[in-house]
Amino acid sequence: MLPHKKITILVVDDELSIREAFSDWLKQDGFEVETADDGPVALAKIKERHYDIMLVDVKMPQMDGITLLKHLKENDPDTAVVMMTAHGAIQDAVEAIKLGANDYLLKPFELEELSLTIEKLVQMQTLAMENLILKDRVASITRFENLVGQSPPMLKLFETIVNVARSDATVLITGETGTGKELVARTIHARSPRGYSPFIAINCGAFTEHLLESELFGHERGAFTDAKFTKKGRLEMANAGTLFLDEVGDISMKMQIDLLRVLETHEFTRVGGTTTINSDFRVIAATHQDLQESIRRRTFRQDLFYRLNVIHLEVPPLRERPEDIPLLAEHFLRRYATETGKKIDSIHPEALAAMRRHAWPGNIRELENAIERAVVVGKSRQIKPADLPFVFAPGGAEEAANLSLEDMERRHIALVLAAEGGHITNAAKVLRINRNTLYEKIKKYGLTP
Ligand SMILES: Nc1ncnc2c1ncn2[C@@H]1O[C@H](COP(=O)(O)OP(=O)(O)OP(=O)(O)O)[C@@H](O)[C@H]1O
Ligand SMILES: [Mg+2]
């Protein structure tokens, strides 16, 4: 339940029966309610204090609701306004919305309908307030080096990083894709006594066994056909610094033996060489795989696991720390707005709500990409729900659930094309496909650019 207690509503209507009925009803819903019987009375009241919500009748004898609304928007623009207008006078409602009213009700209406409308406004206001508070917070306590977060698991992680950075122990970082494993590794390095020496990363999953061997250990000239020069390996480059073994779960069984040996002795020879080389590096490893499971399947050596897993850090997936979503969104918004020079400085409460509902299978990387894209396609100062790749305007999630993948692709392309004013190159950029692919898809789906 939302914190109704503190929310104040002013009902402005010239009919006594309406004022009384609304007042009783809304008080039962837990709101603090006051009334005014005409525009000038309401104006006097809003000079005295702030109301969160105002219910305003359009037709009143001394000052009509539209005039009152204009005054209100000048005096206290943060008040949410619901206009009440007669069924035949929908144009008044339209005019009111244009002037900044948040919603309208067509008389006569059921009291339940009134409750729903108010409830919706309360939710929006709570979210908008959260948004404001966030802005202050992002700048201060919610940052640890480049890591943003305020959820209990992240605060705990920050604490662990401080301790781990002081030691020279080997660290194994696990977590789903995009959770920030590499960023955590970089943070540990930066805060460690080795921070001024190099941080050498190697993605073990990106190389074949032979290439990985020469990448890690280096090679002598002529060691194999392509070895035209002597090359230092990453183990050597990481001397005095930190070696980050990314995707360590992807290493072949043979390489695991070699790696284990070098982690124990810090001694090795280059491929094709005979000289023993010594390197003083600290190891931080990361993987998105479940290494215990790999050990059971005999694709990962238990002894190597123990060697790496001296200290274990688990980076939680984003869906387990929803408190961090708005914070991270704000953080990335600042970054990409600055980078692109676009004047986008806030996130619509509904967009924020959609982000909270999303499951984020790609975790923070997905969130970062979503915000980057929203900044690129955004046409106003605020990120709107429709700017988010996982929101399908106007139907929302339920409608999306009935669409085939092709339907979604068609709609998404149409959406981006429209947002880019039919500009193929820009649309292709947003969609991250090349122009030819986009042309093909436009033809396939019978779209008009
Ligand atoms: N807590 C955080 N605060 C700010 N940015 C973050 C945070 N965590 C991750 N990021 C950003 O999200 C992106 C993905 O992070 P990173 O590359 O560290 O993830 P990863 O776990 O190594 O992913 P993968 O398993 O796919 O390699 C990066 O751009 C990183 O800067
Ligand atoms: Mg990574």
Side-chain angles (χ1 to χ4, degrees):
M1 212 40 195
L2 290 153
H4 279 173
K5 283 260 143 39
K6 289 179 219 138
I7 291 177
T8 50
I9 301 179
L10 181 62
V11 179
V12 192
D13 199 304
D14 55 324
E15 264 183 72
L16 176 65
S17 61
I18 289 197
R19 290 199 304 273
E20 283 181 342
F22 286 9
S23 176
D24 287 349
W25 178 263
L26 291 169
K27 277 178 184 161
Q28 273 176 39
D29 274 356
F31 297 105
E32 191 186 324
V33 188
E34 288 183 26
T35 59
D37 64 3
D38 208 331
V41 182
L43 270 185
K45 277 183 161 290
I46 62 170
K47 291 222 168 82
E48 292 295 314
R49 62 167 297 187
H50 168 76
Y51 295 91
D52 298 300
I53 297 169
M54 278 175 70
L55 275 167
V56 179
D57 187 24
V58 171
K59 268 221 185 81
M60 290 183 291
Q62 290 186 50
M63 182 194 284
D64 66 85
I66 300 282
T67 312
L68 175 60
L69 174 66
K70 282 183 196 157
H71 281 295
L72 183 65
K73 284 291 150 191
E74 281 162 22
N75 282 308
D76 197 351
D78 289 339
T79 301
V81 181
V82 180
M83 295 303 274
M84 299 182 287
T85 173
H87 250 292
I90 183 89
Q91 71 279 5
D92 287 341
V94 174
E95 159 108 56
I97 297 283
K98 274 191 196 146
L99 288 170
N102 300 67
D103 212 339
Y104 62 88
L105 286 162
L106 295 180
K107 278 180 170 179
F109 49 83
E110 300 290 325
L111 287 169
E112 277 80 12
E113 206 182 322
L114 174 65
S115 289
L116 282 178
T117 304
I118 300 279
E119 186 71 24
K120 213 166 72 190
L121 282 179
V122 170
Q123 281 188 18
M124 294 290 273
Q125 287 209 325
T126 312
L127 288 167
M129 183 55 86
E130 237 175 57
N131 213 345
L132 266 180
I133 295 169
L134 270 172
K135 286 216 171 98
D136 281 354
R137 281 211 210 130
V138 174
S140 55
I141 54 162
T142 48
R143 262 191 105 112
F144 180 75
E145 306 276 336
N146 286 318
L147 286 163
V148 172
Q150 61 169 0
S151 57
M154 284 309 276
L155 295 180
K156 192 148 168 267
L157 185 66
F158 297 167
E159 211 181 293
T160 316
I161 290 174
V162 173
N163 292 325
V164 167
R166 285 194 208 113
S167 85
D168 222 21
T170 303
V171 182
L172 178 64
I173 305 171
T174 55
E176 289 177 14
T177 179
T179 44
K181 297 185 291 297
E182 177 159 355
L183 197 55
V184 167
R186 286 182 185 279
T187 308
I188 294 173
H189 167 75
R191 297 194 58 114
S192 77
R194 296 172 177 270
Y196 290 103
S197 300
F199 176 91
I200 303 292
I202 177 160
N203 182 349
C204 303
F207 298 97
T208 61
E209 189 174 283
H210 279 292
L211 274 176
L212 181 61
E213 188 181 17
S214 83
E215 279 296 320
L216 276 174
F217 300 98
H219 58 73
E220 296 294 343
R221 188 175 153 201
F224 43 88
T225 332
D226 285 339
K228 301 206 166 61
F229 305 97
T230 297
K231 189 181 149 195
K232 272 192 186 179
R234 311 262 172 130
L235 293 172
E236 239 178 300
M237 295 194 259
N239 189 28
T242 303
L243 177 70
F244 178 53
L245 296 171
D246 204 0
E247 299 308 345
V248 78
D250 294 354
I251 299 181
S252 72
M253 283 305 255
K254 182 199 165 288
M255 275 300 293
Q256 288 178 33
I257 303 176
D258 296 346
L259 187 62
L260 179 64
R261 192 176 315 122
V262 79
L263 294 188
E264 277 167 355
T265 60
H266 282 252
E267 281 180 1
F268 56 95
T269 54
R270 294 185 187 137
V271 177
T274 48
T275 326
T276 301
I277 294 166
N278 240 292
S279 180
D280 166 35
F281 51 83
R282 180 206 194 153
V283 174
I284 302 179
T287 179
H288 68 273
Q289 298 199 29
D290 179 354
L291 290 185
Q292 301 279 14
E293 177 59 29
S294 306
I295 292 169
R296 271 194 291 279
R297 288 200 322 261
R298 300 189 186 283
T299 53
F300 203 82
R301 294 180 64 98
Q302 188 152 31
D303 46 9
L304 178 58
F305 173 74
Y306 286 131
R307 175 58 62 176
L308 295 172
N309 195 46
V310 179
I311 291 168
H312 176 214
L313 295 185
E314 168 86 23
V315 190
L318 194 51
R319 64 180 173 281
E320 283 175 18
R321 40 177 164 127
E323 313 93 301
D324 291 342
I325 292 173
L327 209 66
L328 283 159
E330 195 76 32
H331 167 71
F332 292 128
L333 171 60
R334 281 189 190 194
R335 173 184 298 172
Y336 289 107
T338 310
E339 214 168 80
T340 56
K342 278 182 96 163
K343 274 208 169 47
I344 303 183
D345 51 18
S346 67
I347 302 171
H348 191 279
E350 278 298 327
L352 209 55
M355 284 192 245
R356 281 174 179 273
R357 285 193 297 266
H358 187 58
W360 302 109
N363 292 294
I364 303 187
R365 182 176 297 111
E366 184 187 354
L367 177 63
E368 182 173 353
N369 291 341
I371 299 290
E372 183 185 4
R373 175 187 176 281
V375 168
V376 173
V377 302
K379 294 272 180 276
S380 69
R381 292 193 57 159
Q382 203 174 39
I383 290 184
K384 298 283 187 335
D387 299 336
L388 298 169
F390 51 85
V391 174
F392 291 88
E398 297 95 83
E399 193 183 327
N402 287 321
L403 293 175
S404 72
L405 202 55
E406 285 204 338
D407 285 340
M408 302 233 297
E409 189 177 62
R410 180 184 194 281
R411 282 179 65 159
H412 184 58
I413 291 173
L415 213 88
V416 173
L417 273 173
E420 294 305 321
H423 196 292
I424 300 284
T425 309
N426 289 354
K429 225 182 256 170
V430 172
L431 293 163
R432 301 216 183 81
I433 56 178
N434 65 41
R435 293 181 36 182
N436 285 339
T437 312
L438 181 54
Y439 273 123
E440 273 169 32
K441 290 192 187 290
I442 288 173
K443 225 165 70 193
K444 174 177 165 192
Y445 293 126
L447 297 167
T448 33

